[in-house]
Amino acid sequence: MHKDIRLHGQVGDHVEYFVMVVGNDAYQRYFFNIVQEEDHLRIFSPGNEFIIAPEGISYQGNGGYFCEYMFGVDQPSSDLAKPDIINRLVMYGARSDDKGSIRFSDRTHGEESFENIFFEGNAVCNYYFFVHSNQLSRKLKYQQEELVKSLGKIVKRSGSVGDERDDALISHIFPLLKDEAAQLFIIKLIDRHHREYRDLFKSLYYRNKKIADDDFARLVKLAATYRIDRYQQERMRIDAMYRHPSNKRIVDEYRNILLACNSKGEISPLDNARLTRLKTLSVRNKIPGALFYTLDEMLKKGRNLVHRKEQDYIAATREVLEGFFLKEKQIESHIDREDMLNLVKAKKKAVENRDHSFDQLMLDASKECDEKIRDGADPGLMDGFSYVITYLDRFDSVSNLVSQLAFMENVRISEEMLQGLLEHKAAFDNLKEGCFDELFIRELFQNAYLGRFGRRKVTALLEGLNAVERGTRIEELHKRLQEIDQEERISSVLLEHVRDRIRNFYSKFTTRADQEALRREVVEELKNKRLLKADIPDHLFHETIFTIKKEAMYLHSLLPQIITERNVGLREDFLENSGLDRFYVEELEREYYEKNGLDLEGLYQIRKGLS
């Protein structure tokens, strides 16, 4: 049975290290020394050396380093195509040739600063390793190849790396050496400041999948105290958000669909419909759009999945930016209302198509402005660009707020947010009369997934904003939205509890007496649970009963017929006339398929009208 010795210490004020030496005779060998005059810790075995210095590390011999992939970092295509590969493994002296094959060399020595280790690898934790074994070949390049073959598959797939479960990691790796006299050396490096920032963000975000202003101030203060740069902050935040269980399920499905599209070389209409629905679900589940944008960049960039000429809206954007900012030096630099409206519409099209070339054009234009001003151009050039950025920021703010109001439950909007929305509306309507409605409202009402409460809230918002412009107090709009929000919350809670009561106690609830008894019990239960303060409005209770009846009819009568006959028309007729939200019906369908062990692919086909 193997034994291990562990050495723990700290370099500077933020880098923590753990040195683990594993082997059957680990206790009988001298494996480290401290060079006092240089403040170095040297870990060694015959032919191998690893030095931890105040500013970084150096190494020579065999081995390499590994860490858990952070979400969104660049990965080799071979790793990206295999969802079970979750860790990065780099061997000293290894290079990839033009054909994608790995070549090893005897030049395995090197050095890295701590800053670069946590920048290029994992922001929090990275592992280094080397092996002493008489069964390895004499030449280093052959040793490296042999170690990859014996350890690589497990190291790249082990969940113990990200979880930092060192005991499990050692027990997985050491037996693979198949040499009882071997010694395995593992050095774990941790950035304590990064870990503290990540853990704080994770604890705050996991409460309710959002960060309050006060909590964000704590994060900003911590980052400033430890001088954590913005890139590292963003990496850790995105990675933590991705790993939230409810986020990870939807994002992984999005990733798997894109991987399948890559293997086929195209995005089919069905695939695109699935991707779009997942994006819609992400809004409903408070999943940051940055997670999807990152996947789009990773999996679409350079792969030419869709071969087409430049989209009209991109061409129009390029024309405005090139003409105004870059090429037309002899005319006054300004953007008129028509130009601005074209840019905003182009932004809208780019968002709908998940096309990030628009953002890239804006980034390139921003860099060009900075360079021209640095080289002596009129600083007023940046004023015109700031005007553009302000409008595009307005678009993002309004689009996000209206989408949340339309598709998410229990969204609370303050009077300050409504005041800001009113200012944005005035700015857009200043470009063109009715522009606000055209950009944010009109197409929304055509969305099949817009539920009845979402429709009511958006309608109330638009009517209320128009009323405020005519002189009504904004407090009245705020009160109206709060009333709808409260009604939506009660309706959701009521549906859950009434359905549960009927399932367990009231197999028949057709008579008025049964319904009154059911109502009294539900009201009492909700008040005891502090989910309800007043009585349930009559119309909400009757709507709930009616919803459950329609749900039962669909599940027990219509859905089996739809599945058997693949009758898409019958399904659409029910969706259009039942008054039930499409999200709600699709969740019922999913539960029905899972409960009855049916293939979900058949459900996807029915939803898209494919037979």
Side-chain angles (χ1 to χ4, degrees), residues 191-221:
D191 189 309
R192 298 174 64 249
H193 292 172
H194 288 181
R195 181 173 60 184
E196 185 176 345
Y197 181 91
R198 179 203 63 187
D199 290 347
L200 175 59
F201 177 85
K202 187 175 179 180
S203 65
L204 297 174
Y205 179 75
Y206 274 41
R207 289 178 187 172
N208 53 12
K209 297 181 69 175
K210 66 178 181 180
I211 301 293
D213 291 343
D214 292 345
D215 292 334
F216 187 75
R218 291 175 60 190
L219 289 166
V220 170
K221 182 178 179 181

Side-chain angles (χ1 to χ4, degrees), residues 303-523:
R303 289 173 170 82
N304 297 319
L305 287 178
V306 180
H307 298 279
R308 63 180 186 271
K309 67 178 183 179
E310 189 173 63
Q311 295 282 4
D312 291 343
Y313 58 87
I314 295 298
T317 301
R318 192 185 301 277
E319 178 183 350
V320 173
L321 294 180
E322 289 286 316
F324 176 70
F325 289 111
L326 308 176
K327 300 298 182 185
E328 299 179 2
K329 300 179 182 179
Q330 303 305 315
I331 64 174
E332 183 180 0
S333 296
H334 74 280
I335 291 182
D336 60 21
R337 294 181 183 180
E338 183 179 356
D339 289 331
M340 191 65 250
L341 183 58
N342 287 336
L343 285 177
V344 172
K345 287 183 176 180
K347 166 78 171 179
K348 183 173 186 289
K349 280 286 186 183
V351 170
E352 290 170 352
N353 294 338
R354 297 186 299 278
D355 184 353
H356 305 302
S357 55
F358 179 92
D359 291 333
Q360 187 61 50
L361 283 177
M362 299 305 300
L363 180 61
D364 292 342
S366 174
K367 291 179 179 178
E368 188 76 15
C369 281
D370 288 339
E371 291 171 3
K372 285 184 175 295
I373 293 173
R374 183 194 62 198
D375 295 338
D378 182 3
L381 185 64
M382 185 55 71
D383 294 338
F385 191 73
S386 298
Y387 169 65
V388 172
I389 295 302
T390 298
Y391 258 101
L392 298 182
D393 286 344
R394 288 183 187 276
F395 177 87
D396 287 334
S397 297
V398 175
S399 180
N400 290 334
L401 184 58
V402 172
S403 293
Q404 290 176 4
L405 196 66
F407 295 108
M408 290 170 57
E409 297 178 0
N410 302 322
V411 175
R412 303 297 174 87
I413 295 184
S414 65
E415 292 182 12
E416 291 77 10
M417 295 167 70
L418 290 175
Q419 187 62 50
L421 200 57
L422 189 66
E423 294 173 2
H424 295 326
K425 182 178 184 299
F428 284 112
D429 286 343
N430 184 52
L431 296 179
K432 178 185 175 183
E433 186 178 352
C435 180
F436 182 86
D437 182 70
E438 178 184 348
L439 289 174
F440 305 106
I441 307 298
R442 194 172 301 163
E443 292 182 5
L444 185 63
F445 281 133
Q446 299 171 6
N447 191 316
Y449 288 98
L450 182 63
R452 60 190 180 97
F453 281 105
R455 187 176 298 274
R456 287 178 58 190
K457 286 186 285 186
V458 174
T459 300
L461 176 69
L462 185 60
E463 292 176 350
L465 291 176
N466 291 332
V468 172
E469 289 178 333
R470 295 191 299 269
T472 305
R473 292 168 56 84
I474 203 167
E475 289 83 356
E476 295 182 20
L477 171 57
H478 183 241
K479 180 181 179 182
R480 177 58 182 149
L481 289 175
Q482 283 185 316
E483 289 172 352
I484 299 175
D485 177 77
Q486 176 70 3
E487 193 171 324
E488 181 181 26
R489 188 189 69 81
I490 294 174
S491 178
S492 177
V493 172
L494 189 60
L495 179 60
E496 177 184 351
H497 283 75
V498 170
R499 186 196 292 115
D500 184 64
R501 280 276 171 178
I502 290 173
R503 184 183 297 119
N504 295 314
F505 303 107
Y506 293 87
S507 59
K508 295 182 180 181
F509 53 97
T510 54
T511 68
R512 181 174 296 275
D514 287 338
Q515 292 182 15
E516 284 302 319
L518 174 61
R519 177 174 179 166
R520 287 194 299 271
E521 292 180 11
V522 169
V523 169

